[in-house]
Amino acid sequence: MTQRVDDARTWLESAPGVDLEAFDTRWASLAQAQKPVVTVFGSYDTGKSSLIRRILVDSGTAIPDWLTISARHETFEVSEIDVDGYLLRDTPGLAVEAEDVRGRANTAAATDAIALTDIGVVTLTPQLATAEHGALTKLVDAGWDTGTLWFVISRFDEAGIDADGDPDGYRELAERKARELRESLHLDGTVPVYVVSQDYSQLGGSDRHVDPSVWDDSRPWDGMQQLEDDLKAVADRPLAALRDAAAERFWIAAVRTVVAELEEHRAQIAGFAEGAERSSDRLNRATKELQVLDDAARSALHGVLNESVDRSVIRLDVDRSQIVADLQDSLTTWHQTQARELERLLQEIQAGDDSQRAEPEWRGLENLLATDADEMDSQPAEERADYWVIADIAAAIGPQLVKGLREYVKLANEPLGKRAAATTMVKASGVLQAANIAQAALPVVLEVAGMIDDFRLTSASEGAARKRVEQQARAAARQAESIALDRWAATVEETRRVIDQTFGAHAAVMEKVRADADEIASAIERGRQLSQRS
């Protein structure tokens, strides 16, 4: 093999998602051939079978059973026969615009066969390329070595001018059609173009066994002699050189095919990356807003407790039970205020979650990342980190969040007396967990109330004692604040968990998506350079 083939195979082996063994298997079908392979390729009604019959009859080769001459689709698989030291291969008719399974299968088989040949012979009718023009342009650009791609304008006796009656007109038309074909497909002068009438006036018809003398009258002008002489000469060409050229064409075509697939994959990855990027942004925004709410709640709690202590110190008309009620109401009001802020944040998260899950990128990324748990368990431990299971989160977080909010708001807004027996707030579907802060802090609140009562009973002249009692009351209030904040912290952490569950899976995979995109981009660039290098 040539260095370029080695480079192509090395690239394919390193490219993401490529099955090199499948390409090796395909190439082996040509590499094992001990003679040059000539493949006839064209649309189903361009005269391939009648051309092959004429070549076989003129060479004295028996017509194989698989060869059928018909204007209909009669060739459904690739077949070959040994002729004058080369292997002549017939292919199913190309049906570029076919939507049926048979037509697509025939096109695929023919395209695969022309990619694995030493010499390609393309047949066209006098109308030249029509629907198949794009496919033929792509074929011409496949990197054929000089003299390995031929074109045959066949059935030219049907072009409209009778060669017997107007030989000059026939010849001029043939020359014009050859020029038109070269211009249409941008063929240079090294590409042979043959104009033939392989079965003049259909004298051979659909017969498989025809006496070669039937075409004796047309031989001087039907163009077959030059084509047949050039085919016989193929057997004398060095097989190694032909096969090396075919190898380069095949493996570079493989590189181009994979590059095209990777470009499609990169476009998909780009969409996934955009969705994951938005998830990452939403995660960051929600996390930052939660931190702002947490800081504000902590600051507010400190203020409301100090204000409550201040009110109780200066008011002489309230008893200890009223002091307790005021402190508890301050705690309850603070908690409900903060609960509403969390409710607002979680509703925004829910709205963002609903919006994101409606995006095509979200669904595409879920399909890309979600994997069955059994499949993940079957992976080696060191590879499990690359398996992300986020479908369950996506399916469950929505209703769980809604239910949790409903329960949380319901409990947070209940009157104090109705909730007094509870020591902690009910965990709402695993989404929010908050304590009945006023009840949890009751022992310390009672202590604070008692100290304030003692403060007011202390004579104003006992300044030092009053100051000491006030300091003790405020210290006890800070204990109540600490208890409240401990319970609040649990609520904040549960909210943070909801945020992480909602957006974290996509945000966490951001780096892997980017790494995949970078790897694909790098492979594409190397593949392009390799396929363009002469």
Side-chain angles (χ1 to χ4, degrees), residues 52 56 64-68 74-75 79-81 88 90 208:
I52 291 174
L56 297 180
D65 292 339
W66 49 260
L67 185 64
T68 302
E74 296 289 352
T75 304
S79 303
E80 66 182 27
I81 187 171
L88 184 60
D90 189 17
R208 297 177 62 253

Side-chain angles (χ1 to χ4, degrees), residues 304 306-316 318 326-327 330 456:
V304 298
N306 279 338
E307 289 174 4
S308 181
V309 170
D310 289 342
R311 285 194 303 270
S312 299
V313 166
I314 64 175
R315 292 179 62 187
L316 302 176
V318 294
D326 184 67
L327 285 168
S330 295
R456 292 186 306 180

Side-chain angles (χ1 to χ4, degrees), residues 127-436:
Q127 288 74 40
L128 305 182
T130 52
E132 71 271 29
H133 184 274
L136 294 185
T137 299
K138 184 177 179 181
L139 177 66
V140 170
D141 293 338
W144 295 81
D145 205 27
T146 301
T148 58
L149 181 63
W150 304 357
F151 283 83
V152 176
I153 304 175
S154 75
R155 295 168 45 190
F156 207 72
D157 53 311
E158 301 174 18
I161 296 181
D162 185 356
D164 279 339
D166 185 5
D168 291 339
Y170 179 91
R171 184 177 62 258
E172 290 174 2
L173 179 60
E175 292 173 352
R176 177 164 63 84
K177 284 293 181 177
R179 286 195 304 271
E180 289 177 2
L181 178 62
R182 290 186 183 280
E183 292 171 359
S184 174
L185 296 179
H186 306 289
L187 306 177
D188 62 35
T190 66
V191 178
V193 175
Y194 304 88
V195 180
V196 303
S197 297
Q198 65 267 39
D199 186 24
Y200 174 60
S201 296
Q202 297 187 6
L203 295 175
S206 60
D207 292 344
R208 297 177 62 253
H209 304 289
V210 182
D211 191 296
S213 64
V214 75
W215 298 302
D216 284 350
D217 290 342
S218 64
R219 291 183 187 278
W221 53 262
D222 65 16
M224 286 300 300
Q225 188 63 53
Q226 184 63 57
L227 174 60
E228 291 173 347
D229 288 346
D230 290 347
L231 284 171
K232 292 176 183 177
V234 169
D236 297 327
R237 294 173 65 172
L239 180 59
L242 284 173
R243 199 57 47 83
D244 282 347
E248 283 201 9
R249 187 174 65 252
F250 172 81
W251 287 105
I252 294 304
V255 169
R256 289 173 176 167
T257 298
V258 171
V259 165
E261 293 173 353
L262 289 178
E263 286 174 338
E264 292 182 6
H265 190 39
R266 180 171 62 173
Q268 294 177 332
I269 287 289
F272 299 155
E274 289 177 6
E277 184 74 60
R278 286 193 289 273
S279 287
S280 181
D281 290 343
R282 288 166 177 154
L283 173 64
N284 291 335
R285 288 198 301 271
T287 301
K288 289 178 181 177
E289 186 166 356
L290 178 61
Q291 187 61 53
V292 170
L293 290 179
D294 186 23
D295 292 343
R298 291 172 179 275
S299 177
L301 178 59
H302 183 75
V304 298
L305 286 178
N306 279 338
E307 289 174 4
S308 181
V309 170
D310 289 342
R311 285 194 303 270
S312 299
V313 166
I314 64 175
R315 292 179 62 187
L316 302 176
D317 59 340
V318 294
D319 59 19
R320 180 177 296 196
S321 64
Q322 290 172 312
I323 294 173
V324 170
D326 184 67
L327 285 168
Q328 285 194 304
D329 285 345
S330 295
L331 287 170
T332 300
T333 300
W334 168 83
H335 180 259
Q336 291 178 341
T337 299
Q338 306 315 314
R340 284 191 291 272
E341 288 299 307
L342 284 182
E343 173 193 346
R344 177 190 59 77
L345 175 60
L346 288 172
Q347 286 175 336
E348 290 177 357
I349 293 172
Q350 177 67 63
D353 180 43
D354 291 343
S355 174
Q356 177 156 327
R357 285 191 288 117
E359 296 171 354
E361 292 86 355
W362 172 283
R363 295 193 296 271
L365 189 54
E366 281 182 351
N367 292 336
L368 177 71
L369 303 177
T371 185
D372 184 82
D374 291 338
E375 180 184 349
M376 183 175 69
D377 290 341
S378 68
Q379 303 303 315
E382 64 272 16
E383 295 181 11
R384 290 181 191 170
D386 291 335
Y387 281 76
W388 296 81
V389 186
I390 62 173
D392 291 342
I393 293 175
I397 191 62
Q400 185 185 45
L401 186 57
V402 171
K403 183 178 179 182
L405 279 171
R406 186 179 298 119
E407 294 295 328
Y408 182 77
V409 173
K410 175 182 176 182
L411 290 171
N413 289 314
E414 283 179 351
L416 177 62
K418 186 174 181 180
R419 291 187 287 129
T423 57
T424 60
M425 201 168 190
V426 177
K427 184 176 182 181
S429 300
V431 177
L432 295 177
Q433 182 179 12
N436 185 329

